Amino acid sequence: QVQLVESGGGLVQAGGSLRLSCAASARSLSRCAWFRQAPGKEREFVAAISWSGSSTVYADSVKGRFTISRDNAKNTVYLQMNSLKPEDTAVYYCAADYRSQRPATAPVDYNYWGQGTQVTVSS
């Protein structure tokens, strides 16, 4: 069973930055992604990355502000979040999958999930 553990969440003022980390208990996970869920809303896609890191996909709402990356030697995926806005407030979840290299945007495309880390952006 693969375990994913997120860290790096917290409280930040609008315009600030945070870097989330997701440490995996197993090697060679293929695609990885970040999703988020705000209170009363459905879980939404944020960013995804292929195993090699050469292919990335972003939600329109975070393009130009967030960057997903990975260090396979450390089995860790990162989400650098800059220019944060109050509407970025949510629980952020790391997700991973072995079934395909291609980054995907739907929750059903990932079969391993972390427990989530809270990100709160104050105005």
Side-chain angles (χ1 to χ4, degrees):
Q1 181 72 12
V2 175
Q3 291 186 328
L4 304 176
V5 180
E6 300 101 333
S7 61
L11 173 64
V12 64
Q13 289 188 331
S17 298
L18 283 174
R19 188 176 83 152
L20 305 183
S21 298
C22 172
S25 63
R27 296 183 181 275
S28 302
L29 290 168
S30 294
R31 56 190 174 197
C32 296
W34 290 93
F35 290 79
R36 66 186 182 187
Q37 188 166 19
K41 295 188 177 181
E42 292 187 353
R43 190 167 299 190
E44 66 170 353
F45 169 76
V46 176
I49 189 168
S50 62
W51 180 87
S52 67
S54 62
S55 180
T56 57
V57 181
Y58 294 93
D60 287 344
S61 59
V62 307
K63 276 182 184 176
R65 300 188 299 122
F66 291 11
T67 302
I68 189 170
S69 62
R70 64 191 297 167
D71 184 340
N72 289 337
K74 296 181 178 180
N75 299 329
T76 302
V77 178
Y78 304 98
L79 185 68
Q80 177 66 44
M81 305 185 294
N82 298 328
S83 303
L84 282 161
K85 304 175 182 180
E87 51 264 44
D88 294 318
T89 295
V91 177
Y92 283 69
Y93 297 91
C94 177
D97 186 70
Y98 285 107
R99 293 170 291 180
S100 172
Q101 293 277 357
R102 182 175 58 86
T105 62
V108 71
D109 292 318
Y110 297 89
N111 53 10
Y112 298 107
W113 291 84
Q115 82 289 349
T117 185
Q118 176 70 46
V119 171
T120 303
V121 184
S122 63
S123 57

